[in-house]
Amino acid sequence: MTINYRNPQEVFRTCLTILPRTEGLYISTVNAVRTIPDSVSRNVVPDMSSLLETTAEQAAQLAEQFVSADGTGRIAVICPDNLIAPVRDAVRRKLAVILDPAEYARLIEQPEWDEQISVCGTETVKGLEFDAVVVVEPGLIEDDAPSRLVAASDLYVAMTRPTQKLVIVRTKSGRKVPEHLRYEACPKHCYWKTFTPMRPNRCVITVSKSRP
């Protein structure tokens, strides 16, 4: 595959800047062709309580924007495994407040395989796509992986699921991630030594442990 039709350019660039440099991960020749202004949102909060509240608020806003009563529209909240239960509870409490009771009941009674609003880990969303995605604590997703190769793969999966909107929510103590706070990829020319620049928004990437 040489053309990325799923992700807006802004989402795919953000994914590339956040990936940890992990030996052995290879992402080949991908050109994101769509552009959607404001398709990436970053939220840094002070503590876990604020994390749950902000995640729930963001998920609720995305649900109002993308999820329809006719069964169309999908969003996912992707988080570390140990946060799935508290995040799901927070999201459901928020939805119960903003949605009509009948619509809320319809959504929470959907089978897991056909949920319009999913709260899950990275394993669940592999191979799937959603209108919008909230990635919660990407640094902890990386830390929880058994190796840096798996960490990079998990983050790549999480951040390349949305077709319209990506929201990142993390705490200030969420380790060093995201990497984009210190390393940026220029839209036209890739500055990382591990990037092979081609055309704008297109590159071949080999992620390694060594930093540029």
Side-chain angles (χ1 to χ4, degrees), residues 109-150:
E109 290 170 4
Q110 289 176 326
E112 184 176 341
W113 59 268
D114 196 32
E115 286 179 324
Q116 287 180 267
I117 302 175
S118 299
V119 179
C120 54
T122 56
E123 282 294 322
T124 303
V125 298
K126 286 182 177 180
L128 303 179
E129 65 179 39
F130 302 84
D131 295 286
V133 167
V134 182
V135 177
V136 181
E137 289 286 33
L140 296 184
I141 291 175
E142 181 182 345
D143 283 345
D144 288 348
S147 69
R148 287 189 56 80
L149 176 59
V150 175

Side-chain angles (χ1 to χ4, degrees), residues 13-212:
R13 288 175 194 163
T14 300
C15 172
L16 298 184
T17 61
I18 280 185
L19 282 179
R21 290 149 185 74
T22 305
E23 187 173 3
L25 181 69
Y26 180 76
I27 306 170
S28 64
T29 317
V30 177
N31 181 24
V33 295
R34 296 186 300 124
T35 180
I36 301 178
D38 302 318
S39 57
V40 177
S41 170
R42 300 179 178 92
N43 301 266
V44 181
V45 297
D47 51 39
M48 185 57 62
S49 175
S50 300
L51 181 85
L52 295 176
E53 180 180 355
T54 300
T55 299
E57 289 175 353
Q58 292 293 325
Q61 291 175 17
L62 295 175
E64 290 184 310
Q65 182 177 357
F66 294 106
V67 174
S68 299
D70 63 3
T72 58
R74 296 279 187 284
I75 70 170
V77 181
I78 305 171
C79 42
D81 289 346
N82 65 335
L83 290 181
I84 292 175
V87 168
R88 180 183 290 117
D89 289 344
V91 169
R92 287 188 172 185
R93 286 195 301 270
K94 188 67 176 180
L95 292 175
V97 172
I98 69 167
L99 296 178
D100 174 82
E103 175 64 2
Y104 173 73
R106 184 187 72 82
L107 289 171
I108 67 169
E109 290 170 4
Q110 289 176 326
E112 184 176 341
W113 59 268
D114 196 32
E115 286 179 324
Q116 287 180 267
I117 302 175
S118 299
V119 179
C120 54
T122 56
E123 282 294 322
T124 303
V125 298
K126 286 182 177 180
L128 303 179
E129 65 179 39
F130 302 84
D131 295 286
V133 167
V134 182
V135 177
V136 181
E137 289 286 33
L140 296 184
I141 291 175
E142 181 182 345
D143 283 345
D144 288 348
S147 69
R148 287 189 56 80
L149 176 59
V150 175
S153 176
D154 285 349
L155 286 178
Y156 180 81
V157 166
M159 298 186 66
T160 57
R161 298 309 92 192
T163 63
Q164 305 292 327
K165 179 79 173 182
L166 171 66
V167 177
I168 300 169
V169 183
R170 70 180 186 94
T171 58
K172 290 181 179 179
S173 60
R175 210 174 59 79
K176 61 183 176 64
V177 169
E179 293 279 356
H180 71 266
L181 294 176
R182 289 171 296 184
Y183 299 95
E184 293 288 346
C186 171
K188 292 186 178 181
H189 303 285
C190 298
Y191 294 143
W192 295 350
K193 290 181 179 178
T194 46
F195 281 50
T196 302
M198 298 177 71
R199 297 195 298 273
N201 306 313
R202 183 174 180 178
C203 53
V204 177
I205 312 150
T206 303
V207 186
S208 64
K209 289 181 180 178
S210 58
R211 290 184 175 179

